[in-house]
Amino acid sequence: MLFEKSDHDTLYDALIRRDPAHDGLHFVCVTSTRVFCRLTCSARKPKSENCIFEDTIAACLSAGFRPCKRCRPMLHHGGADPVVTGLLEALEADPGRRWSEQDVIARGHDPSTVRRAFNRRFGMSFLEMARLRRLGSGADSLSGGERVIEAQLDAGYGSGSGFRAAITRLFGTAPAALRGQALLKADFLETPIGTMVAIADDHALHLLEFTDRPALSSEITRLQARQKQGVMLGKTPVIEETRDEIARYFDGRDTGFTVRLAGHGSAFERDVWQALRSIPAGETRSYSKIAADLGRESAVRAVARANGANQIAIIIPCHRVIGADGSLTGYGGGLWRKRWLLEHERRMALSLPSAGAIPAEASAPLRRSIPPLPLPEAERPGQAID
């Protein structure tokens, strides 16, 4: 069909050929560098498995990718419109400035025309883009330990009440609660069966889940409530270690997982999760067998609840738990993924070729941005699991 969306292979071929027919219609997001580019970018081409193709710049920005400095997709995308180009250059020159419609008018532009032009190109208005830049600057200042008034000025807010209201809306807490607070970092990992999100600090992994898991948002809310830390897109050494180990796992190399895990949960839940980690790849256990191994034969339901409370997919292999009759039981990532993972591990244990990637129509993973979530009062972090 004439307007049917191009598939991944077609767009990757266009990227390799720098096909100008797709310029401005599609953008490539490179998961290994977290940069997004025009398909005609002259930079070295990434591997196909590291590419995600989006139709709008707004989708790229919302997924946490930053614009390429070589092909400058944002400026180029607005290049045909001098109004857009001029405002983008002004924003880059002074990202902390608090823009208003009057500022736009003072530059000789009609606000409604500017709004339509930016929405058409980026999926957001110029004032929305400027506001996000300011608030990001303010949050970084607070996280760095600056006083609220200094962060307010860094963000370009003349009104203290306006700054406090904006930060509270964005992060769910007052600016003073963010001062000096370390933020958890979140990044995306691509796998043959869909995109995963990893959340970690500099010391341990706190969450690893598939992004289309229905309960993901509530899991992140609970994580922030437990750790009393905000979540922002970024990288840590722990996330990079997780990325490497997950890549080896999906490549069929059973080298085990050594990344340090944050020890959330009750003592009983941690015992269950440790029991899950002791199940060799290629094998399965029932809830009753795990309960018996823990010396808690009557705690089958509690074992099932602990299994469901696990927030570290694959590394804590809750997918290796099946029904006592050998049937597949529920899995937050979807039963089709559980079936794939068990087959993959069976092949891995037998040194057979990997099960391969699931067809796109079967997985259709949905990338989600990680919004700032509410920050309750301080609480001691959980014990780490080595």
Side-chain angles (χ1 to χ4, degrees):
M1 294 177 62
L2 178 61
F3 296 106
E4 185 176 2
K5 184 175 179 179
S6 300
D7 60 23
H8 181 95
D9 291 342
T10 299
L11 291 175
Y12 185 71
D13 180 65
L15 172 68
I16 296 299
R17 293 185 292 106
R18 300 180 188 172
D19 186 352
H22 293 271
D23 202 20
L25 299 177
H26 302 98
F27 302 89
V28 59
C29 300
V30 185
T31 60
S32 57
T33 61
R34 305 305 300 172
V35 167
F36 74 92
C37 303
R38 297 156 50 200
L39 267 60
T40 55
C41 184
S42 60
R44 182 179 177 182
K45 301 307 177 189
K47 296 180 179 179
S48 176
E49 58 266 28
N50 292 335
C51 295
I52 297 172
F53 294 97
E54 299 287 1
D55 296 338
T56 67
I57 285 177
C60 299
L61 292 171
S62 297
F65 294 88
R66 61 186 185 278
C68 173
K69 292 184 178 180
R70 178 173 296 188
C71 67
R72 305 178 76 190
M74 292 178 64
L75 286 176
H76 178 85
H77 197 42
D81 189 337
V83 172
V84 174
T85 302
L87 287 171
L88 284 175
E89 290 176 345
L91 180 60
E92 289 302 314
D94 188 8
R97 178 177 176 179
R98 180 168 187 168
W99 288 83
S100 68
E101 284 196 352
Q102 292 303 315
D103 295 322
V104 174
I105 294 171
R107 294 178 67 89
H109 306 312
D110 174 62
S112 61
T113 301
V114 170
R115 185 164 51 251
R116 285 194 300 270
F118 271 80
N119 277 320
R120 185 167 56 247
R121 287 167 169 76
F122 305 111
M124 66 180 68
S125 72
F126 171 69
L127 295 182
E128 287 174 324
M129 187 180 291
R131 181 180 65 84
L132 289 174
R133 294 291 299 274
R134 292 200 319 275
L135 287 178
S137 173
D140 286 344
S141 298
L142 288 168
S143 180
E146 288 192 10
R147 293 184 303 160
V148 173
I149 183 61
E150 293 168 341
Q152 171 194 324
L153 296 176
D154 286 345
Y157 277 76
S159 164
S161 60
F163 178 66
R164 287 192 295 273
I167 286 291
T168 300
R169 281 196 304 271
L170 191 60
F171 288 90
T173 191
L178 289 175
R179 185 183 176 195
Q181 184 184 81
L183 297 174
L184 296 171
K185 301 294 180 62
D187 201 12
F188 297 103
L189 285 61
E190 299 304 321
T191 80
I193 54 175
T195 306
M196 304 186 79
V197 61
I199 299 179
D201 54 25
D202 290 334
H203 308 290
L205 180 68
H206 291 258
L207 181 144
L208 180 66
E209 291 283 16
F210 289 98
T211 57
D212 57 357
R213 178 180 170 90
L216 178 60
S217 179
S218 59
E219 287 187 10
I220 297 175
T221 301
R222 288 196 299 271
L223 173 61
Q224 286 200 166
R226 189 165 52 231
Q227 292 303 110
K228 313 325 176 258
Q229 293 176 278
V231 175
M232 63 179 294
L233 290 174
K235 299 178 186 295
T236 72
V238 172
I239 289 179
E240 295 310 299
E241 182 181 358
T242 302
R243 189 190 311 278
D244 291 342
E245 293 190 353
I246 287 292
R248 287 198 294 271
Y249 168 85
F250 279 103
D251 284 344
R253 292 175 282 166
D254 185 15
T255 57
F257 295 102
T258 61
V259 63
R260 186 176 177 83
L261 306 182
H264 302 308
S266 66
F268 177 75
E269 286 174 329
R270 291 197 295 270
D271 286 344
V272 172
W273 297 338
Q274 189 59 48
L276 295 178
R277 300 190 76 185
S278 69
I279 304 173
E283 298 183 17
T284 58
R285 299 287 188 275
S286 66
Y287 294 122
S288 56
K289 179 66 167 66
I290 293 174
D293 289 345
L294 293 174
R296 302 281 297 273
E297 289 83 354
S298 62
V300 176
R301 290 184 180 275
V303 168
R305 286 194 296 270
N307 194 71
N310 171 38
Q311 294 186 331
I312 309 287
I314 298 179
I315 294 177
I316 298 179
C318 53
H319 62 274
R320 294 177 189 166
V321 181
I322 61 175
D325 60 356
S327 62
L328 291 182
T329 54
Y331 183 61
L335 285 180
W336 66 269
R337 280 199 179 102
K338 184 169 187 170
R339 186 177 296 108
W340 190 99
L341 291 169
L342 292 176
E343 172 64 14
H344 173 68
E345 292 177 352
R346 184 188 72 83
R347 289 170 175 265
M348 191 158 51
L350 296 174
S351 300
L352 296 174
S354 169
I358 291 291
E361 61 271 16
S363 58
L366 300 176
R367 176 178 296 281
R368 298 177 182 173
S369 58
I370 305 300
L373 297 167
L375 301 171
E377 295 299 321
E379 181 183 86
R380 183 175 302 173
Q383 172 188 350
I385 302 175
D386 291 318

